[in-house]
Amino acid sequence: MTNLHLRRLIATAVFLAVSLVLRITVSGYLPLFGANGVRVGIHGVFTIMPAILFGPWYGAVASGLGDFLGHYVRPSGAWLWQITVISTVGGFMRGWAWRLLRARSPVVTRGVVVVMTLVFLGFGAISMVQLRQDGITRQFYDNVVDPAAIDTLGMSSIGRLVINRTQNTSNPANNLSGRIAEVAYAPLVAGVFGVVLLGVDMFLSKGLQKEKVSKTDKPVSIMPLALTIIIISLMISTANSIVLWAVAVPAWRTFPFVYIWLPRVFIALLTSVANVFIAVFLLRVCDRLPHVKKIANL
């Protein structure tokens, strides 16, 4: 092992230790349908930093050990190896995504986010309008005697899709709520996520530009960092939600998956935004520490 790798491992261990301390002291769970819904805290950013500073493998080690050791320092139910694997893969993906995005032009990354935000908001809004025109609400099946006999020819494309995917199921009314959330609420949440992301980038980047943190004449943008942290965190939250819904919490299987996913991913979004602010601060601190700067990819 080279001296560089050893120093990076030591720094990773320090970040991991801070994360575990914060996990014990200032984190907790929000309840969801009678079970622990989602953990809330700022400890996660300290397992994210090794991926940003040192690369994918260090991120994988920090995130994987953070989940494994975190379970034993503050247990909250049975240990799930699937969650630890997801955390490990997520840590690797953060380091990989950061390497991929940091070299991209701020104009390009912002443009992609703007376009995707408009697409999601537009699709969600159109879906809601079409469902309302077709009279499709969560109470749609309350007065329907035979769901299989519903004529969907006069409905909009979205309404037809939703009804066709629910009318022949064992519980059409329950499944309808999930399908409405999928085609209307989920895209709107994704669009709101894009708006939040653009707002965070504008706020933090403007502040950094005024402070002249950048050593070049190029515009300062924290969009690559925000995308790295937020998108990967939402992917991890989605994968964890699948495991919890399908394996760990039997009571949750009585609800459509989207009912579990939406609140968890919303909390993950808020936590990720907070992590972006903290990560920007930590990167500025690391940039001013010669010993850290020598071993980091800054």
Side-chain angles (χ1 to χ4, degrees):
M1 179 182 296
T2 65
N3 184 52
L4 175 63
H5 292 309
L6 178 60
R7 294 169 67 183
R8 285 180 171 179
L9 281 175
I10 293 173
T12 298
V14 172
F15 278 116
L16 178 58
V18 174
S19 175
L20 293 175
V21 170
L22 292 176
R23 183 184 178 112
I24 296 172
T25 57
V26 292
S27 72
Y29 277 97
L30 292 179
L32 180 64
F33 299 125
N36 288 332
V38 58
R39 181 180 289 276
V40 179
I42 61 171
H43 59 282
V45 70
F46 290 93
T47 57
I48 293 173
M49 290 306 297
I52 303 299
L53 292 172
F54 310 132
W57 293 108
Y58 296 92
V61 170
S63 295
L65 285 177
D67 180 81
F68 179 75
L69 297 176
H71 169 75
Y72 289 100
V73 299
R74 190 174 183 180
S76 58
W79 173 67
L80 297 174
W81 64 267
Q82 299 96 324
I83 301 296
T84 300
V85 170
I86 291 169
S87 297
T88 304
V89 174
F92 182 89
M93 290 177 63
R94 286 192 183 102
W96 174 80
W98 172 243
R99 285 184 176 179
L100 181 67
L101 293 172
R102 65 181 300 187
R104 296 293 183 270
S105 167
V107 176
V108 173
T109 54
R110 285 171 176 161
V112 171
V113 173
V114 169
V115 170
M116 294 304 298
T117 298
L118 293 176
V119 168
F120 281 122
L121 289 176
F123 182 80
I126 291 172
S127 296
M128 293 192 72
V129 169
Q130 291 191 355
L131 291 174
R132 178 167 295 185
Q133 289 177 343
D134 295 333
I136 299 175
T137 65
R138 287 182 295 179
Q139 293 75 38
F140 178 81
Y141 283 110
D142 290 353
N143 300 317
V144 175
V145 177
D146 182 10
I150 297 175
D151 184 10
T152 61
L153 292 179
M155 293 183 177
S156 64
S157 57
I158 297 296
R160 190 181 308 116
L161 173 66
V162 168
I163 297 303
N164 287 340
R165 292 185 63 186
T166 58
Q167 63 183 150
N168 295 318
T169 60
S170 58
N171 192 340
N174 192 38
N175 289 321
L176 179 63
S177 298
R179 296 296 175 253
I180 291 175
E182 287 176 0
V183 301
Y185 301 139
L188 288 175
V189 168
V192 170
F193 153 67
V195 173
V196 171
L197 184 59
L198 290 167
V200 170
D201 176 55
M202 183 180 299
F203 177 79
L204 289 180
S205 298
K206 185 177 181 180
L208 292 176
Q209 192 74 55
K210 287 182 178 179
E211 295 176 13
K212 299 181 179 179
V213 173
S214 175
K215 296 181 174 61
T216 70
D217 293 329
K218 296 179 181 179
V220 175
S221 174
I222 58 91
M223 184 63 77
L225 179 65
L227 287 173
T228 298
I229 292 177
I230 297 177
I231 290 181
I232 302 302
S233 294
L234 296 183
M235 292 172 63
I236 292 173
S237 178
T238 299
N240 287 344
S241 298
I242 294 173
V243 172
L244 294 172
W245 180 74
V247 177
V249 188
W252 283 0
R253 289 196 289 275
T254 60
F255 302 94
F257 170 72
V258 70
Y259 280 19
I260 306 301
W261 176 75
L262 277 177
R264 282 177 52 83
V265 81
F266 180 71
I267 297 300
L269 171 60
L270 296 181
T271 303
S272 298
V273 171
N275 286 340
V276 172
F277 280 82
I278 298 171
V280 169
F281 171 77
L282 292 175
L283 284 175
R284 292 169 61 192
V285 172
C286 292
D287 192 50
R288 289 168 170 79
L289 297 175
H291 296 293
V292 176
K293 195 172 182 180
K294 286 181 181 178
I295 63 173
N297 297 317
L298 294 176

